[in-house]
Amino acid sequence: MSRCGWKSRGRHAARGVTLVELVVTLAVAGMLAAIAMPSFTSLVRGNRLKSSANEMVAMLQTAKVAAVSRRARVSVCPSTDGATCAATLGNRWIALMVKDGVSTVLRDSTLHESVVVKSSGNLSAGNNRLVFVPSGFSSVGANSSGTIGLCVANLSGNNGVGVTTNVSRVSTRRRAATAACTGPTDS
């Protein structure tokens, strides 16, 4: 027995990994990573799109509930400063409640920069503002519905999600938005 309690089986009993074995293992691992990387990248892009759509739905639901429970008008709109609505589309959106002349930001969210935001015709005509009134109904300018289009340009297949408000219902729909991230249609 040796000093460590192990029986010695000759000169090379406690042998490690050779350089050749290490190089072969690293080469195989590199090839597997190269094969898996496109799938992983697509998965990450898809998750960014899905989480952005979920965030937009949560914002619209927050606005609707606040409008009903607080008997106030609540707008969901793009914002550049996090405190006021802007007419131009961007990745930062707020839910802004106005009651008794006082504006309160209920929710402020910034979508991932890889997500492109487009508006439907109704939403564009309504200055990109979805408004919920105390009855829980929505309006988009002179219309009762509007769609916020979210898209990831370099995602294959259905690379877009339309988040729609129609009267008092909030819904989502996956769609092919092409590599150019075309705008959504109104429902």
Side-chain angles (χ1 to χ4, degrees):
M1 278 211 172
S2 68
R3 290 184 1 192
C4 297
W6 294 94
K7 288 184 180 178
S8 177
R9 292 190 186 137
R11 187 172 171 191
H12 298 289
R15 192 180 126 181
V17 178
T18 66
L19 182 59
V20 172
E21 292 170 331
L22 179 64
V23 168
V24 168
T25 302
L26 289 175
V28 169
M31 283 186 260
L32 289 175
I35 292 169
M37 188 56 71
S39 296
F40 181 71
T41 303
S42 181
L43 178 71
V44 168
R45 290 176 182 151
N47 282 337
R48 286 179 182 153
L49 178 62
K50 188 182 291 186
S51 68
S52 294
N54 288 341
E55 178 58 34
M56 197 57 72
V57 168
M59 181 168 296
L60 291 167
Q61 293 290 5
T62 298
K64 179 181 168 184
V65 168
V68 172
S69 65
R70 297 180 185 181
R71 308 288 304 153
R73 289 176 56 92
V74 181
S75 299
V76 174
C77 53
S79 178
T80 55
D81 61 2
T84 59
C85 289
T88 57
L89 286 176
N91 285 31
R92 187 174 188 181
W93 286 70
I94 59 172
L96 183 67
M97 179 179 71
V98 177
K99 185 172 183 176
D100 300 328
V102 177
S103 296
T104 305
V105 175
L106 302 174
R107 192 173 184 122
D108 180 358
S109 296
T110 302
L111 308 176
H112 193 272
E113 71 250 7
S114 67
V115 175
V116 177
V117 180
K118 299 277 184 152
S119 61
S120 67
N122 288 352
L123 186 60
S124 183
N127 287 329
N128 298 316
R129 185 181 295 213
L130 298 134
V131 179
F132 288 93
V133 295
S135 65
F137 291 153
S138 65
S139 65
V140 182
N143 300 295
S144 63
S145 68
T147 303
I148 301 166
L150 306 174
C151 171
V152 175
N154 48 7
L155 183 64
S156 61
N158 287 339
N159 64 328
V161 174
V163 181
T164 302
T165 62
N166 190 352
V167 183
S168 68
R169 183 175 164 221
V170 176
S171 62
T172 62
R173 184 178 58 91
R174 284 296 289 251
R175 63 188 188 86
T178 72
C181 287
T182 58
T185 59
D186 289 302
S187 55

